[in-house]
Amino acid sequence: MMNREDTYNFSAGPSMLPLPVLQRASAELVNYHDCGMSVMEMSHRSSEFTDIFNSTKAKLKSALNVPDTHEILLLQGGASMQFSAIPLNLSREGDTVDYAVTGNFSKIATKEAGRYCNVNIAASSEDDNFSYIPAQEDLKLTPEAAYFYYCANNTIFGTAWPYVPETGGVPICCDMSSEILSREIDVSRYAVIFAGAQKNMAPAGLTVVIVDKRVAGHERPYTPLMLGYDLMIKKDSLYNTPPCYNIYLLGLVLDWLAEQGGVKGMEAIKHRKAAILYDYLAESSLFKPCAREGSRSDMNVTFRTGDAELDAEFVKFTKANGMFNLKGHRVAGGMRASLYNAMPFEGVEKLVNLMKEFEVQHHV
Ligand code: PMP
């Protein structure tokens, strides 16, 4: 038997949601605001849901400072569906597009774009198991590219771009799935930002897309209906049934976020939180960080002992102590601690204490 209060969930996604959000959702689950039904049971065209939808969008617009040039879409299909939507909406047959390959998901996105465009790999860090982010001067950019694509935070390998690439006017598309709402961004620099909700925003099933309205309306004629940005902008994401309950939960998460000082507040906290772990990794003689300094993610901290059996033993040890999902992704091995917005300081402190204890037990 584990108590929610005594356990910490380091899952990379779907991941932990703030406890006050779950408690509020639980209180409102059966009878939302005395309207006699659950949000799950409402028509997406009802006035109650319309209010939820509009207020959630307004909260997100304010949290990320989204300018009026950009539209927020609340869609289904996962972040992965945007791997197809981006080339279909932003490029024409024969166009060249630039991709930076810094992890598993940008690699998949690159392959998908290759079905529709000439893909130029502007940079890749696969030569060193995706342990670093290429420098601006190492990006081999195509001046006439239809767009440049990158993944801001590489969930599996624990790296994050420390800068926004300068592309000389080429529109930028960015996968922000695992860092959205954790740091301030200048939305106007991007043609498309997208993120699966299941890390920093809401349960799985909702995908947030922020698209510059000026790039919409140029999709290829055979673009599947549901992938067209123009249609979704015109229909305010309500062409078909949206992921209603997830949108409601995103609204609750955004209320909670505002109480924590908003994105600015989170940005200050996330770095201090990750530093607890990185500082310990710098001095540990047993555990080593996987990502190179200067490329490290505050959201997903990857580390290992160098001995797969010992890694497995450590994961078992943490689990027995109420610390869940520290096993690294199967393609990366080792351990990964995901420290999204909902992870409290105490979770990281407890993890470091357990690492110290384990290190003493397995003194090398
Ligand atoms: N991009 C990143 C950075 C991810 O971490 C993930 C996995 N959650 C995806 C894309 C794929 O997301 P989804 O499962 O929502 O398609």
Side-chain angles (χ1 to χ4, degrees), residues 77-81 83 105 151 153 155 175 177-178 196 198-199:
S80 304
M81 203 160 89
F83 299 167
F105 295 107
C151 176
N153 186 90
T155 325
D175 178 354
S177 293
S178 44
Q198 63 270 27
K199 296 146 199 309

Side-chain angles (χ1 to χ4, degrees), residues 109-180:
T110 304
K111 199 167 163 218
E112 180 64 4
R115 299 176 63 205
Y116 308 109
C117 318
N118 304 317
V119 176
N120 168 51
I121 308 283
S124 169
S125 54
E126 194 165 14
D127 58 339
D128 194 19
N129 200 27
F130 297 121
S131 61
Y132 69 99
I133 298 297
Q136 170 77 48
E137 56 270 27
D138 294 330
L139 302 178
K140 293 183 183 61
L141 300 171
T142 312
E144 68 283 3
Y147 61 85
F148 170 83
Y149 178 103
Y150 76 110
C151 176
N153 186 90
N154 298 283
T155 325
I156 294 178
F157 298 94
T159 59
W161 286 68
Y163 67 99
V164 178
E166 187 46 67
T167 59
V170 168
I172 302 178
C173 300
C174 184
D175 178 354
M176 290 194 190
S177 293
S178 44
E179 69 160 41
I180 197 157

Side-chain angles (χ1 to χ4, degrees), residues 312-321 354-355 357-358 361:
E313 203 182 314
F314 175 70
V315 171
K316 220 170 125 189
F317 172 69
T318 52
K319 197 172 168 190
N321 284 280
L354 285 179
M355 289 167 81
E357 199 180 319
F358 190 83
Q361 284 167 14

Side-chain angles (χ1 to χ4, degrees), residues 87-97 116-118 146-147 217-220 222:
L88 287 168
N89 281 275
L90 272 78
S91 73
R92 299 183 186 166
E93 301 241 358
D95 274 354
T96 296
V97 294
Y116 308 109
C117 318
N118 304 317
Y147 61 85
H218 306 290
E219 70 277 2
R220 297 191 191 191
Y222 45 83

